[in-house]
């Protein structure tokens, strides 16, 4: 007796175009997740708990923090990592759940545009913050 075995599904992309992007993205989610635990909890403790807590957050408080290159770099790392981590997470969700090619394409265009704008605007604010404009 012979058994019919179905041919494997045709890959969407040609083998020559394949890269290790998804593997690097997987590793990035784990590493950025670890760093985010430290950054997010430090951010919460410093901004919302110690020294009078969230009540004392004001323009002057932000000005005080951004006078220090340490907090500029800290906030920059938090912004970039959270944004890239969240964007890549949503990219995977869109790939998993949006069935039509065009839906996937436009949702990802929207996601990447929003993400790029947020990263650019946030980075600009961190480095051009002017404590004298209040
Ligand atoms: C606080 C530390 C965080 C840790 C340890 C962490 C860890 C992770 C890990 C390991 C994944 C991959 C899950 C998988 O592949 O199945 C993931 C997915 C994801 N993360 Fe985070 N993450 C953190 C913070 C954040 C933040 C701040 C955001 C939003 C800006 C975020 C948004 C997402 C999204 C949207 C996904 C995709 C979820 C999914 O695939 O079902 N995460 N996270």
């Amino acid at each position: 007796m012979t058994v019919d075995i179905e041919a494997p599904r045709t890959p969407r992309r040609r083998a020559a175009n394949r890269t290790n992007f998804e593997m690097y993205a997987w590793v990035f989610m784990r590493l950025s997740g670890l760093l985010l635990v430290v950054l997010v909890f430090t951010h919460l403790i410093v901004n919302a708990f110690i020294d009078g807590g969230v009540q004392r957050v004001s323009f002057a408080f932000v000005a005080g923090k951004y006078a220090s290159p340490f907090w500029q770099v800290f906030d920059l790392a938090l912004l970039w990592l959270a944004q890239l981590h969240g964007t890549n997470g949503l990219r995977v969700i869109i790939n998993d759940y949006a069935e039509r090619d065009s839906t996937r394409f436009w949702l990802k265009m929207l996601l990447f545009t929003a993400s790029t704008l947020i990263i650019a605007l946030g980075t600009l604010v961190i480095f051009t913050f002017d404590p004298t404009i209040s």
Side-chain angles (χ1 to χ4, degrees):
M1 187 182 111
T2 53
V3 181
D4 281 338
I5 300 174
E6 268 185 57
R9 286 190 297 169
T10 321
R12 248 175 226 281
R13 287 184 291 161
R14 287 185 301 119
N17 288 343
R18 290 205 182 141
T19 65
N20 285 332
F21 176 79
E22 291 300 341
M23 194 267 284
Y24 292 123
W26 187 93
V27 172
F28 170 76
M29 290 307 269
R30 269 74 195 162
L31 295 182
S32 58
L34 279 178
L35 280 169
L36 279 168
V37 174
V38 178
L39 293 172
V40 169
F41 280 102
T42 307
H43 172 86
L44 274 179
I45 291 164
V46 170
N47 284 8
F49 288 107
I50 58 170
D51 251 356
V54 75
Q55 308 297 336
R56 56 91 166 85
V57 172
S58 61
F59 187 88
F61 175 78
V62 177
K65 279 187 85 181
Y66 280 172
S68 148
F70 173 83
W71 288 116
Q72 285 187 325
V73 173
F74 181 97
D75 277 8
L76 191 74
L78 183 54
L79 169 73
W80 277 68
L81 283 177
Q83 197 59 42
L84 293 177
H85 178 103
T87 301
N88 188 53
L90 282 183
R91 180 187 68 84
V92 173
I93 293 173
I94 292 169
N95 280 342
D96 282 349
Y97 288 96
E99 290 182 5
R100 288 170 50 195
D101 282 356
S102 61
T103 311
R104 265 201 313 280
F105 176 82
W106 286 113
L107 283 177
K108 283 191 279 187
M109 279 300 123
L110 190 65
L111 174 68
F112 297 150
T113 307
S115 186
T116 306
L117 280 177
I118 291 169
I119 288 182
L121 207 59
T123 305
L124 194 72
V125 168
I126 290 173
F127 288 117
T128 61
F129 182 82
D130 178 0
T132 63
I133 59 166
S134 67

